[in-house]
Amino acid sequence: MKLSCSKDWVRAVSKMLTGHKGQHKGPQFTSTDELSTFECVSVPDVPVSAYLRHIMARLENPDTWMAVPVLIKRLKDAGVPLTPYTAHRVLLGAVIVCDKCCTDLPYSNKVYAKIGLTTLADVNLVERLVLRLTDFKVHVTAAEANEMCGKLLPAVEKPSSVPTGGLVLPPLDPCAGRGRIGSR
């Protein structure tokens, strides 16, 4: 089955990560809280949707993108609040773990740090925390991915142009293979 692409997918995942505007007054954790690893001191200047597209342009595996929302939901169920303060690091952690699970030859964490515009130390911390919070249950079935896409897309303001029942993927950058950072 050929997978469909949708801008709605990016919008839905961004909305999933940031919650509803205005409900988050500021950082929620103390510096000693394990979950503070995900939290930024202030909301990053880069919108989550732009950060998501930036990462997508550098990672080519569509299975990764189908698994990411499922893993984000598992993190939310484990107690990670999805707010504008945590969105970027939760996204990056989910992407790294999903890409490593869905790719035969994943990048090194040093390369994921360059892709995620952060440090190697941050990548290592976020990856370990994602694995610990999900109890290393990071495998995502096609049924789970389809179910999550079905739940996400109706949450977007505009209806999706993708027929119901099909898998929905974000638009992949046709130039993603050019100018890649690092090597596998």
Side-chain angles (χ1 to χ4, degrees):
M1 171 192 329
K2 185 171 173 40
L3 301 175
S4 301
C5 296
S6 172
K7 289 182 181 180
D8 289 344
W9 184 92
V10 172
R11 205 171 315 131
V13 172
S14 298
K15 185 176 179 180
M16 176 186 193
L17 281 162
T18 57
H20 302 290
K21 299 223 182 268
Q23 76 182 39
H24 307 289
K25 302 285 188 227
Q28 300 177 10
F29 307 116
T30 64
S31 61
T32 58
D33 191 331
E34 178 182 51
L35 295 179
S36 66
T37 301
F38 289 118
E39 193 165 63
C40 297
V41 174
S42 62
V43 176
D45 292 333
V46 178
V48 175
S49 58
Y51 188 61
L52 177 55
R53 288 184 200 279
H54 166 81
I55 295 171
M56 287 170 49
R58 286 145 183 87
L59 298 176
E60 300 171 344
N61 190 344
D63 292 338
T64 296
W65 300 110
M66 292 301 297
V68 164
V70 176
L71 195 58
I72 291 169
K73 172 75 167 76
R74 289 178 188 169
L75 289 168
K76 180 180 179 184
D77 292 346
V80 176
L82 301 179
T83 73
Y85 293 89
T86 62
H88 293 74
R89 289 184 179 159
V90 169
L91 174 62
L92 183 60
V95 166
I96 291 167
V97 171
C98 289
D99 197 54
K100 286 184 175 186
C101 290
C102 297
T103 306
D104 290 334
L105 296 170
Y107 289 115
S108 68
N109 279 5
K110 185 176 180 181
V111 174
Y112 285 118
K114 288 180 182 178
I115 290 170
L117 307 173
T118 190
T119 66
L120 177 59
D122 281 347
V123 165
N124 291 336
L125 283 171
V126 168
E127 181 185 21
R128 277 195 306 265
L129 188 54
V130 167
L131 292 169
R132 187 169 41 251
L133 289 172
T134 59
D135 198 24
F136 287 81
K137 294 177 183 160
V138 293
H139 176 74
V140 175
T141 66
E144 289 174 305
N146 280 327
E147 181 181 342
M148 180 57 73
C149 283
K151 289 177 182 177
L152 279 179
L153 291 178
V156 180
E157 290 83 23
K158 289 183 182 176
S160 174
S161 59
V162 178
T164 58
L167 294 175
V168 179
L169 284 179
L172 297 176
D173 184 345
C175 301
R178 297 184 206 140
R180 296 183 74 139
I181 300 172
S183 62
R184 291 196 182 239

